Amino acid sequence: MDGRQDEVAGAMARLAEGDRDGAASVLRAALARAPDDPEILHGMACVARASGRADLAIGLAGRAIAILPAAHFHITLGCALHEQGHLEPARAALRVATLREPRDVRGHAALAAVLGAMGRGAEAEASLRAALALRPADAALLHGLAARLSGRGAHGEAEDLYRRVRDLCPEEGAAWANHGAVLFALNRHEEALAVLERADGLVPDVAETLNNLGLVRMALGHLPQAGVALARAARLAPEDARIAVNRATILAELGEDGAAERLLRGVLADPVAAGGAEGARAAFNLGTVLLARGDLAAGWRFFEARTRLLPEGRWPDIAPWDGVAPPRGRLLLHAEQGVGDALQFLRYLPYCLERARVVLELPPELQRLVGTTPDPDGLIASRCTVLRPGGSVPGDVVARCALLSLPHLLGMAEPPPFAPYLLPALSAGAGGGERRVGVCWAGNPAYRFDRRRSIPPEELAPLGEVAGVRFVSLQHGVAAGDPPFAMEAAASGDWLETARAIAGLDLVVTVDTAIAHLAGAMGRPVWLLNRFGGDWRWSAAFDRAERPCWGDAASRWYPSLDLFRQAGPDMPACAWRGPVAAVCAALSRWRDGRLAGD
């Protein structure tokens, strides 16, 4: 018996070294002498698997198990069944293996792979954790669990695992690249940049690494460098639609909208890509390019692709609206994305009410504010009901529509004529003889590219040196605790309280956040500090024809809004200096009652 074990062990050693033929020769000879030896049969099953004959391996492993139901025989059987696509029998075989020998890492790892293929993610994670408990420094197991965690959005735990893989394999570019990707997902951009640049240095010219490197650089505001990385990625993977869409995004940010459009239309011309997620991204991004150019009819049409990217799942039984007045019942008109979008597109509500009676769904923090909407024609009072938070959708609702879909469905190729459409009363104690200016310097940090639209407090500090002005903070969230200079705090609460505070101000200075839309919708003077290549709605296509009183341009969306734009794709350390200096100079003239040309 010992001789046979030695023969099998020798054959397995040859197989591990890649000598399949030598291993098979030894095992065939042994099998001729002992045709019912389970270890020899199992060895032959292993050789069959290594030779790509999982079908033969299943039969050989099954014969071995019939003689001796050893755990490692069940592992080989389970792996072979998995390779043949027989997932449930594979799961059963590997489950037996882990029960018979719970200390064998291979059984847990193989079971995790099968469970993952079956879509049983939680069980696959559990099996990987069991394997890691037995072998905590196994880079493959760490990577497997990290990938699974990252895939379901648990990026924090995945980051720790990817870091451990990187530390175990410090010379492997893939280990650094994976860690950099999850750091990017966590919005830890500076760390991601350093890690991805190390990955690119270790193994240059990997398209996926360069793609992520380009996105990180874009998020940090390193626009030309982002363009270089994504151009390299595109050369390496010219058929990768995802990279093409990302490259189009940076081209649009750099002002090369023609090149961006060609790339996006190229993705949409591919029937395979066009039908998938990247096709939806390409169509949506093309919509923003066309909107930024002022081609609103086509832009709104492509903009609808966002509903494929973020499908509305709250009301699956309510059909999307087609824009035609329903013969019966009401329309559920709902908010999506950010508060700023809801505030901007509430402008279209009266035009929607001309076609349909509406049940309006809004975030709770906007519920009281919307009650300040003027209603000279009585349309809102007679044809619109606001759905209270937590309330059920009425039974007579027959269709649903997002606020952002209204321009497309209503066929409105130009912004509608403006009149202030949010008119809160002045808050108690506001006003007075002193000039009062509200300031907002940061957006939601959860937004991946918030770094580009928000201003570091120290960059806005020169504003506080303008004498004779009383500044009021309109900043929400964490950034409110780190003001650029001493200023009065506005009343806290929902957006109605913020609107009341704005009503008592003489001017609002803000970056591209919901504050800009709120002040604009109220018709209050607002100066917008806007990034280069910023959001489509602040593009030159929406500039008013007349010369602005302040800044570079006035907006057709909000006639009381003036823009102060970054002149070019400068590095973040200096990108805001020009616009901030322009605002400071304009503020001094405004304080003294002097116009821009005075």
Side-chain angles (χ1 to χ4, degrees):
M1 189 66 173
D2 289 342
R4 291 179 194 168
Q5 289 178 341
D6 290 342
E7 284 185 298
V8 172
M12 292 299 96
R14 288 192 177 194
L15 185 61
E17 295 171 355
D19 183 8
R20 292 195 304 269
D21 293 339
S25 177
V26 170
L27 290 169
R28 278 196 295 268
L31 192 62
R33 296 191 296 272
D36 294 324
D37 186 297
E39 290 289 354
I40 299 173
L41 289 167
H42 174 254
M44 291 294 293
C46 292
V47 171
R49 273 194 68 214
S51 303
R53 293 299 307 272
D55 54 335
L56 293 180
I58 291 169
L60 290 163
R63 285 175 58 192
I65 289 168
I67 300 166
L68 177 66
H72 60 295
F73 297 174
H74 281 90
I75 294 173
T76 298
L77 175 61
C79 290
L81 287 166
H82 185 189
E83 289 159 7
Q84 286 291 100
H86 306 309
L87 297 182
E88 178 53 36
R91 186 204 64 80
L94 291 165
R95 180 61 178 154
V96 169
T98 58
L99 289 172
R100 285 186 175 275
E101 182 44 83
R103 295 170 297 175
D104 193 326
V105 172
R106 297 171 301 169
H108 295 291
L111 180 57
V114 171
L115 291 167
M118 297 176 78
R120 295 162 65 165
E123 293 173 83
E125 276 186 35
S127 290
L128 283 168
R129 291 184 191 280
L132 276 168
L134 295 165
R135 195 182 292 165
D138 188 303
L141 293 174
L142 288 166
H143 176 271
L145 180 57
R148 185 155 293 283
L149 289 167
S150 187
R152 66 171 175 84
H155 300 303
E157 188 178 358
E159 188 274 326
D160 178 65
L161 297 176
Y162 277 131
R163 183 186 295 274
R164 289 164 62 187
V165 174
R166 191 196 79 185
D167 292 343
L168 287 166
C169 310
E171 300 305 316
E172 289 189 12
W176 289 82
N178 289 330
H179 188 214
V182 77
L183 287 168
F184 178 49
L186 288 166
N187 286 349
R188 291 163 57 178
H189 296 137
E190 286 89 352
E191 293 175 81
L193 178 64
V195 170
L196 288 166
E197 287 181 341
R198 176 67 184 276
D200 185 41
L202 286 168
V203 185
D205 297 330
V206 176
E208 183 63 21
T209 301
L210 290 165
N211 177 64
N212 289 329
L213 182 57
L215 293 175
V216 169
R217 286 174 173 170
M218 182 161 54
L220 287 168
H222 305 172
L223 299 188
Q225 296 91 330
V228 170
L230 286 164
R232 286 176 61 199
R235 285 194 296 270
L236 291 164
E239 303 303 318
D240 191 317
R242 181 174 48 98
I243 291 173
V245 173
N246 290 338
R247 188 176 178 221
T249 301
I250 188 60
L251 287 169
E253 290 282 343
L254 288 166
E256 299 179 38
D257 60 312
E261 180 180 356
R262 287 191 293 274
L263 273 175
L264 295 169
R265 290 193 183 277
V267 172
L268 294 173
D270 180 341
V272 175
E278 293 312 318
R281 283 185 63 216
F284 173 74
N285 286 7
L286 178 57
T288 63
V289 167
L290 294 173
L291 289 172
R293 186 183 297 161
D295 186 355
L296 269 63
W300 292 132
R301 185 172 68 253
F302 282 105
F303 195 64
E304 287 297 288
R306 73 190 189 284
T307 61
R308 290 168 54 195
L309 293 168
L310 296 170
E312 179 54 69
R314 290 177 289 178
W315 308 286
D317 298 328
I318 303 177
W321 190 41
D322 60 3
V324 176
R328 58 178 180 80
R330 290 188 286 176
L331 170 69
L332 177 64
L333 185 62
H334 60 86
E336 60 174 314
Q337 301 188 43
V339 168
D341 289 314
L343 293 173
Q344 180 183 6
F345 285 81
L346 277 170
R347 181 168 174 175
Y348 291 86
L349 176 61
Y351 302 93
C352 178
L353 291 172
E354 292 174 357
R355 297 195 191 182
R357 291 182 299 126
V358 163
V359 175
L360 181 61
E361 187 273 340
L362 291 170
E365 61 269 26
L366 289 178
Q367 294 265 321
R368 292 201 304 148
L369 175 62
V370 77
T372 71
T373 302
D375 190 20
D377 300 320
L379 274 174
I380 296 174
S382 62
R383 295 176 67 82
C384 181
T385 301
V386 177
L387 184 65
R388 296 304 172 193
S392 300
V393 175
D396 65 340
V397 166
V398 296
R400 59 177 170 82
C401 173
L403 279 166
L404 272 67
S405 292
L406 286 178
H408 170 63
L409 293 174
L410 297 174
M412 300 181 71
E414 288 295 325
F418 180 83
Y421 55 93
L422 294 171
L423 296 174
L426 189 69
S427 62
E434 190 174 20
R435 292 272 190 154
R436 303 175 81 244
V437 176
V439 183
C440 178
W441 59 92
N444 183 354
Y447 172 53
R448 177 167 284 181
F449 299 106
D450 180 64
R451 288 289 197 88
R452 292 212 53 231
R453 67 173 176 180
S454 295
I455 302 180
E458 63 274 13
E459 293 292 328
L460 201 60
L463 196 67
E465 298 173 9
V466 179
V469 176
R470 186 170 184 176
F471 292 99
V472 179
S473 171
L474 297 173
Q475 185 62 52
H476 288 253
V478 176
D482 185 24
F485 48 86
M487 61 181 74
E488 175 187 330
S492 61
D494 65 5
W495 283 93
L496 177 58
E497 294 304 320
T498 302
R500 285 172 174 167
I502 289 173
L505 298 171
D506 298 292
L507 174 67
V508 171
V509 176
T510 181
V511 294
D512 181 12
T513 71
I515 292 292
H517 294 285
L518 177 56
M522 294 167 60
R524 302 298 298 158
V526 52
W527 294 355
L528 176 66
L529 287 150
N530 196 41
R531 68 190 186 272
F532 182 82
D535 194 276
W536 58 267
R537 69 202 81 201
W538 310 125
S539 72
F542 294 101
D543 290 351
R544 293 171 65 84
E546 57 268 30
R547 184 174 178 269
C549 292
W550 315 100
D552 305 304
S555 171
R556 287 199 288 145
W557 285 110
Y558 307 111
S560 64
L561 186 148
D562 285 0
L563 291 121
F564 291 75
R565 293 180 170 124
Q566 291 179 355
D570 295 325
M571 292 293 286
C574 59
W576 289 112
R577 291 176 187 170
V580 170
V583 166
C584 290
L587 194 59
S588 295
R589 293 192 301 272
W590 171 85
R591 175 202 59 203
D592 298 336
R594 294 182 289 121
L595 294 178
D598 294 348

